[in-house]
Every structure is written in structure tokens, then in C-alpha cells.
Amino acid sequence: MAEKIENVVIIGSGPSAWTAAIYSARANLEPLVFEGAITEENRLAGTLPLGQLALTTEVENFPGFPAGDLEAYFDSAIAPERRQLMAPHHKEGVSGPELMELMRQQAVNFGTRIITDDVVDLDVATRPFVVRTLEGAVHQARAVIIATGARANYLGLPSEERFKNRGVSACAVCDGALPRFRNKPLVVVGGGDSAVEEADYLTKFASVVYMVHRRDQLRASKIMAQRAMSNPKINICWNTTLDEVLGNDTDGVTGVRLKSTVGQPDVELQASGVFLAIGHTPNTKFLEGKLALNEKKYLVLSRPGRTYTSVEGVFAAGDVADDYYRQAITAAGTGCMAALDAERWLAAQGHETSAARPERRRGPRHWRRRETSL
Ligand code: NAP
């Protein structure tokens, strides 16, 4: 077991985790972040370090990072004499992976320490809390912030499982550019914002994208729904569900069988890829029986407007406790709240740590490359 008792351990590596790290590092709490392990299992589950934003493309709705012509934004937003410190270095918005790398670096610059490993067990019955990792390390912490996020769901069909990695995926951005999908018909299952985003992205590669949705109306926001309906390469199959992924051992996925939800005959379509975009499951398996979870396995917050979980000293931030908003900006906001809650709770316990604020560092002097590819 590591001798040092950490003030705050943060588990996760999405916007909530990095924001919690930035705030707790600036409060001199010297946070230790477990950003997740780089394993094939995590790649397949979509739980590699940097979270779900690392699996997206351009980010259009994170305040401060407008997409499009940044020069024009600066011209309209900031008077020329105030621009010298804020000259834009590039002309486009930020991508999800870039935004995550920037947040991570910002946390590192304030002294955050990072371990690239999964937390597999959190003992909340002892004080300090005990954190055990996949690689077998054991750490102690006075306070813990859970920011493990959520991961994409699958339907649970045997054929879906059989063809994972051979045409079935839950991440268009990760897999869409693979040669097997080029100029071929592809299928996206779901009718929410994620499904539209995936379908839209896949039209860069596919000959046609079929969106398979079980109702006659998309759940996606108006602007996203409009994007899907106006894209000539997206063909929406209303009132249908994916009944089976068709394929063989040589070619992988070759098509799908769709079932009607309104009594129409089954349909078979040729397709070389199937992308699932049917919602998410929170990453709370290692917390079952330790912290209160709701029926959908999301962490339950014990007080409205606070990030307290059912165990004092353990806080929650981001999608792991939010099945409603699930936005990068709300995750970042609750990451800030969790760090402040943890700081105040530690102070109330007599751990006064924020006397000297760490030096602010402008450049990436603490830049440390992390190998993310498998
Ligand atoms: P979501 O909004 O929950 O949508 C899930 C979709 O999958 C729904 O259309 C649902 O159908 C369908 N579905 C669920 N279970 C199914 C099943 N067993 N079989 C067939 N279809 C099934 O999830 P999401 O699209 O991942 O979005 C999650 C949150 O992230 C939302 O708040 C969304 O706004 C946000 N988000 C935003 C953006 C963006 O702004 N660019 C991008 C991605 C996600 P029903 O409609 O019939 O329930």
C-alpha cells in the first residue's frame, strides 16, 4: 500500500474529472487522478482515458470554443486593442479529443498527478478510503471524487456480440474511417443526438447511412434532427428495430434484418457496418453495494444542489450521476462543484490545505505524453 494519504483521489478522465482536478489542484489539494487503463476491453467498451468526448468530432456547444471562423468571432467579440493576449492560433473550433487534452494539460500545469490505470475497488468502510487498481496498486485517500462517466449501450443480440470489431461498433469516430466501411451502406441504430451525430459523421465514408429508429419521430434535438433529415446520404428507417446482424466469418457484417414495430414485414438490408447509438450505462460496477445507486445504476446524490454521495467524503461529478443533462459543460460544472465540496469537507475535518495556491503556469511545461493507441 502507498504510504502517502492522498487528500483527494479523482476517478475518471472526462470533463468532470479534469475540472475537479484543476479546482482541487488550485486549492493546493495535490489531487491524484486515475484516468483509466489503456486496454482492449476498455477500447471495446468505449472507456479509454479521456472519456466520451474523446470519441467525438468537432465540439460546437462548449462555451469559449466556437466552431467555424475564430478570427471572425474574435473580431465581433473583442475590441482590437484588447486582442494582444488573445490572438487565435487557428481558424477552426476545437475537437472533442483536443478539448480533453487541453483540460488534462491544464490540470497537469497546476500540479495534478495522473495514473493511467483503472480503479477496480473502492473501500468506503475504512478511513482513509482505500483505492485498489487493475495493476494491483493500493492507495489511500481522505476524499474521493467519482467522475467515471458512462459508456455506450449495446442491444445484447448474440449476432451483435459475434461481429463486434468486425463491423459492429458503438463509436463511428473511432472506427468509421476503416477501409471496410468505405463506400459501403452502413446502419446506425437509435434516434437521439448521438445517432444523428454518428450517422452524419459516417456519411463522409459510406455510400448511404440507414438510421434505424423504433418510433416515427427522432428524440434528437431539433437542430440535429434537421441535420439528419436534410442529409441526402441519410435514409431514416422509421418504426423499425435491429432484429439481427447478418454476416459470416470471412467478411464480418454483410447486412441487417430489421423488424417493424408497426406490423410491417421484416426487411433485410445490405450493410458492411452497424453502429449502435442507443444510450448509455454509467460506469459504476465497482461501486455496487458501496454507494447508493438508482435503478439505472447512476450514483444518487444525497443533497439537492450538492455533489455528496451516500458516503460522507465521497463526491460525484459528471455523467456518472446524471442521466438527464449529460453535456460536457454540465459535467465540467459538477466537476468544479465536487472539488469545492471536497475542499470544504476536508477543511471541516481539519485538513487545511489551501494556504498557498500553486503557481499558475502558462505554458505546457509539465507536458507529458501518454500513449493512447493500442
Ligand atoms: P438518448 O437521447 O437517450 O437517445 C437514445 C436513442 O436510442 C433514442 O432514440 C431511443 O429510442 C433509442 N433506444 C434506446 N434503447 C433502445 C433499444 N433497446 N432499441 C432501439 N432503440 C433504442 O441518448 P444519446 O443520443 O446518446 O444522447 C444522450 C445525451 O447526450 C442527450 O442529452 C443528448 O442531447 C446528448 N448529446 C448531445 C450531442 C450534441 O449536442 N451534439 C451529441 C450526442 C449526445 P426512443 O427515442 O424511442 O427512446
Side-chain angles (χ1 to χ4, degrees):
M1 178 169 333
E3 296 232 329
K4 180 175 160 75
I5 300 177
E6 304 291 344
N7 290 313
V8 186
V9 154
I10 299 167
I11 310 173
S13 53
S16 57
W18 297 127
T19 308
I22 291 163
Y23 272 78
S24 22
R26 294 195 76 247
N28 233 15
L29 291 172
E30 301 175 311
L32 175 64
V33 173
F34 289 90
E35 68 175 348
I38 299 169
T39 61
E40 178 65 9
E41 199 182 337
N42 280 349
R43 196 190 75 78
L44 285 176
T47 51
L48 281 174
L50 302 186
Q52 295 175 81
L53 264 192
L55 308 177
T56 64
T57 47
E58 197 174 28
V59 175
E60 294 175 342
N61 54 8
F62 200 90
F65 289 91
D69 186 345
L70 269 194
E71 193 75 46
Y73 270 96
F74 270 79
D75 282 347
S76 62
I78 305 168
E81 66 275 15
R82 294 181 53 230
R83 290 256 323 250
Q84 66 275 28
L85 289 175
M86 308 180 84
H89 298 296
H90 55 95
K91 285 195 178 284
E92 291 302 317
V94 73
S95 73
E98 284 168 346
L99 184 59
M100 286 301 90
E101 292 286 5
L102 286 171
M103 286 192 192
R104 183 182 191 273
Q105 187 59 49
Q106 198 173 350
V108 169
N109 285 357
F110 284 117
T112 298
R113 291 159 301 138
I114 300 170
I115 294 180
T116 307
D117 198 358
D118 278 343
V119 170
V120 291
D121 185 57
L122 174 65
D123 188 346
V124 294
T126 58
R127 300 299 167 110
F129 302 121
V130 176
V131 174
R132 293 189 174 81
T133 76
L134 188 64
E135 288 181 7
V138 184
H139 296 261
Q140 303 179 77
R142 296 191 176 94
V144 174
I145 296 174
I146 315 276
T148 44
R151 65 183 184 282
N153 288 340
Y154 286 86
L155 288 166
L157 302 171
S159 57
E160 186 189 54
E161 192 59 38
R162 179 179 167 203
F163 293 113
K164 263 189 195 171
N165 251 357
R166 287 186 299 158
V168 171
S169 166
C171 180
V173 178
C174 319
D175 299 330
L178 293 174
R180 63 167 298 118
F181 300 130
R182 299 257 170 178
N183 300 313
K184 301 278 173 45
L186 301 177
V187 169
V188 171
V189 184
D193 281 334
S194 298
V196 174
E197 204 169 64
E198 302 257 303
D200 192 48
Y201 179 76
L202 288 170
T203 58
K204 290 186 195 190
F205 313 106
S207 55
V208 58
V209 177
Y210 298 105
M211 268 184 79
V212 172
H213 184 40
R214 61 186 176 183
R215 293 189 291 133
D216 61 359
Q217 211 179 357
L218 294 178
R219 178 176 295 281
S221 56
K222 273 196 183 131
I223 186 169
M224 296 292 275
Q226 192 51 43
R227 191 171 295 179
M229 287 190 280
S230 61
N231 188 327
K233 282 176 99 177
I234 296 179
N235 188 339
I236 305 178
C237 306
W238 301 105
N239 301 312
T240 51
T241 55
L242 177 65
D243 193 41
E244 194 174 355
V245 181
L246 308 173
N248 58 58
D249 288 342
T250 317
D251 302 320
V253 172
T254 57
V256 289
R257 186 169 61 244
L258 304 180
K259 215 172 189 50
S260 167
T261 57
V262 290
Q264 297 297 311
D266 289 0
V267 172
E268 284 193 10
L269 296 175
Q270 271 193 352
S272 67
V274 177
F275 292 81
L276 283 301
I278 56 165
H280 295 85
T281 298
N283 297 313
T284 51
K285 188 93 190 123
F286 72 112
L287 301 170
E288 281 178 18
K290 301 180 178 195
L291 299 175
L293 306 177
N294 69 15
E295 68 289 349
K296 287 171 111 190
K297 305 286 183 195
Y298 284 81
L299 275 172
V300 173
L301 300 180
S302 64
R303 250 179 80 181
R306 298 285 183 273
T307 62
Y308 308 160
T309 66
S310 55
V311 171
E312 220 186 279
V314 181
F315 305 87
D319 287 12
V320 75
D322 172 20
D323 66 347
Y324 186 71
Y325 295 107
R326 298 186 292 197
Q327 302 298 303
I329 188 66
T330 53
T334 53
C336 162
M337 290 161 65
L340 295 177
D341 285 344
E343 182 190 3
R344 286 166 194 171
W345 182 80
L346 284 167
Q349 307 297 303
H351 300 294
E352 203 55 72
T353 46
S354 49
R357 300 248 164 209
E359 179 202 350
R360 183 173 69 139
R361 300 191 172 101
R362 280 198 180 281
R365 276 192 265 154
H366 289 245
W367 195 84
R368 183 168 70 84
R369 184 147 188 78
R370 181 179 26 70
E371 197 54 63
T372 48
S373 57
L374 278 168

